Amino acid sequence: GESVGLHLPTLSVQEGDNSIINCAYSNSASDYFIWYKQESGKGPQFIIDIRSNMDKRQGQRVTVLLNKTVKHLSLQIAATQPGDSAVYFCAENISLDTGRRALTFGSGTRLQVQP
Amino acid sequence: DAGVIQSPRHEVTEMGQEVTLRCKPISGHDYLFWYRQTMMRGLELLIYFNNNVPIDDSGMPEDRFSAKMPNASFSTLKIQPSEPRDSAVYFCASSREGEGLTDTQYFGPGTRLTVL
């Protein structure tokens, strides 16, 4: 599969541990945020999203936390499994005054799960 | 649903040749996006369409790049002439404008382009 970035920050965790992946976003006007997972050789896959009027949202084994004060987003993965190994991207959605929308992706974090 | 379909999955061509990448979005989706992913620049939005109309092409790097969406189920991204620096993985994504802001994009598997 393709390499998405030789210089990506890497988080290495033991199988069964919890993982926390962090993301700082840039635009205070962003009103919707998404976490994507990209496995080698595949396109980004939607994991979970959150609107700006929420602080926390939970899915199956994943939780997203949003701190608008410091423009910080985090993805928590409970009981990390080898299949969670991938590159994780946060994306922020901005509704422009023209009515258009723009989704901007972060640079990504590589998660490596050690058996 | 088969998801977003892209073809070819891999393309190797020589500098100066024309390259055409194809995408079939998820049926019923209103938006279609073309992205490029490289090691150095990450994931970049090139252009997106809404109801087959190009809305924002500010990410298209040069006039050598063009994109069309003749109907709701098909889009092409063309590079003419291709250059080695165009080598990247090109993703197509689609989304449906739901209530409020829930416009999650669903990505295709990508086309890996290598220009020699």
Side-chain angles (χ1 to χ4, degrees):
Chain A
E2 69 276 4
S3 298
V4 298
L6 292 177
H7 305 291
L8 286 177
T10 299
L11 175 65
S12 185
V13 300
Q14 291 293 318
E15 181 178 357
D17 288 350
N18 297 332
S19 301
I20 300 177
I21 301 172
N22 297 305
C23 177
Y25 62 94
S26 57
N27 196 322
S28 57
S30 297
D31 46 20
Y32 178 56
F33 304 87
I34 308 170
W35 279 100
Y36 283 89
K37 171 186 180 183
Q38 187 175 20
E39 297 174 277
S40 181
K42 298 183 180 179
Q45 177 186 9
F46 170 86
I47 301 174
I48 191 168
D49 58 0
I50 188 168
R51 301 186 186 193
S52 59
N53 61 353
M54 303 170 67
D55 297 322
K56 178 180 180 179
R57 191 169 187 209
Q58 287 184 296
Q60 187 175 16
R61 282 202 309 119
V62 295
T63 301
V64 56
L65 299 177
L66 175 62
N67 185 330
K68 294 180 290 294
T69 302
V70 295
K71 292 188 286 187
H72 183 268
L73 197 66
S74 68
L75 177 70
Q76 300 178 1
I77 304 174
T80 312
Q81 302 169 359
D84 295 328
S85 294
V87 176
Y88 290 81
F89 295 94
C90 66
E92 57 182 304
N93 183 294
I94 303 171
S95 294
L96 306 174
D97 54 7
T98 57
R100 301 177 183 178
R101 297 178 184 179
L103 194 66
T104 303
F105 285 81
S107 57
T109 296
R110 188 183 303 279
L111 176 65
Q112 294 180 338
V113 182
Q114 308 297 329
Chain B
D1 196 317
V4 176
I5 298 173
Q6 290 186 248
S7 65
R9 292 296 311 276
H10 302 274
E11 177 80 32
V12 180
T13 190
E14 293 186 343
M15 182 174 62
Q17 296 298 306
E18 177 180 294
V19 175
T20 300
L21 311 180
R22 298 173 175 80
C23 175
K24 176 179 169 54
I26 293 173
S27 177
H29 279 193
D30 309 295
Y31 289 85
L32 183 140
F33 306 81
W34 282 102
Y35 288 89
R36 177 172 68 177
Q37 188 175 46
T38 62
M39 288 193 296
M40 297 306 297
R41 300 175 68 90
L43 199 59
E44 302 173 280
L45 176 65
L46 300 177
I47 185 172
Y48 77 91
F49 296 81
N50 180 212
N51 292 322
N52 312 339
V53 177
I55 301 300
D56 187 349
D57 65 354
S58 59
M60 296 286 263
E62 299 173 30
D63 291 344
R64 298 184 295 107
F65 286 70
S66 62
K68 295 181 179 179
M69 192 166 186
N71 57 63
S73 60
F74 183 67
S75 177
T76 59
L77 177 67
K78 185 175 293 186
I79 308 172
Q80 167 64 18
S82 59
E83 297 182 2
R85 60 191 169 124
D86 301 331
S87 297
V89 181
Y90 290 82
F91 289 103
C92 176
S94 69
S95 68
R96 177 172 55 198
E97 185 164 358
E99 296 180 2
L101 305 170
T102 53
D103 52 358
T104 301
Q105 296 180 22
Y106 295 87
F107 283 75
T111 295
R112 176 182 287 279
L113 173 65
T114 302
V115 183
L116 303 175

